[in-house]
């Protein structure tokens, strides 16, 4: 069961993570930290959370696929069933 709420709710990010951008879709949310990590949560039926599955989550999860490819998230826009992320290669990667 995933709790889909139509009102704001507090989330605890690790203390060292400072959120710089947030976007909300119909039933999911994405946030970028100042370090360029992308976190997503909510309804994931169409893979819009980016966790390489169609699972849903009440808690934010880091999108590991970006970090694994040496990519830094710079901007994010959530659509009704999609998430668009602007990324940049991190210096010294690859």
């Amino acid at each position: 069961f995933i709790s889909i709420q139509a009102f704001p709710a507090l989330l605890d990010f690790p203390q060292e993570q400072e959120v710089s951008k947030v976007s909300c879709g119909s039933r999911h949310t994405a946030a970028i930290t100042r370090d360029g990590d992308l976190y997503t949560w909510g309804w994931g039926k169409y893979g819009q959370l980016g966790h390489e599955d169609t699972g849903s989550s009440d808690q934010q999860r880091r999108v590991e696929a970006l970090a694994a490819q040496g990519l830094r998230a710079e901007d994010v826009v959530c659509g009704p069933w999609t998430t668009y992320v602007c990324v940049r290669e991190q210096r010294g990667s690859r």
Side-chain angles (χ1 to χ4, degrees):
F1 174 75
I2 297 299
S3 173
I4 298 173
Q5 304 173 2
F7 54 89
L10 286 175
L11 287 177
D12 288 326
F13 275 79
Q15 192 169 13
E16 67 277 1
Q17 295 292 337
E18 186 175 331
V19 174
S20 61
K21 294 186 181 192
V22 176
S23 183
C24 299
S26 295
R27 297 179 180 173
H28 71 292
T29 304
I32 296 176
T33 66
R34 294 221 186 270
D35 292 336
D37 290 326
L38 176 67
Y39 287 82
T40 61
W41 62 98
W43 190 56
K45 181 177 181 179
Y46 300 108
Q48 65 268 39
L49 300 181
H51 299 295
E52 299 180 2
D53 61 23
T54 56
S56 299
S57 176
D58 277 340
Q59 296 296 315
Q60 73 274 18
R61 288 176 43 203
R62 185 175 121 167
V63 178
E64 299 295 339
L66 296 180
Q69 295 177 48
L71 300 174
R72 174 186 173 89
E74 294 195 339
D75 201 3
V76 63
V77 177
C78 294
W81 316 114
T82 58
T83 305
Y84 300 95
V85 184
C86 178
V87 297
R88 181 177 301 224
E89 282 190 9
Q90 294 187 39
R91 294 181 187 187
S93 66
R94 293 195 187 239

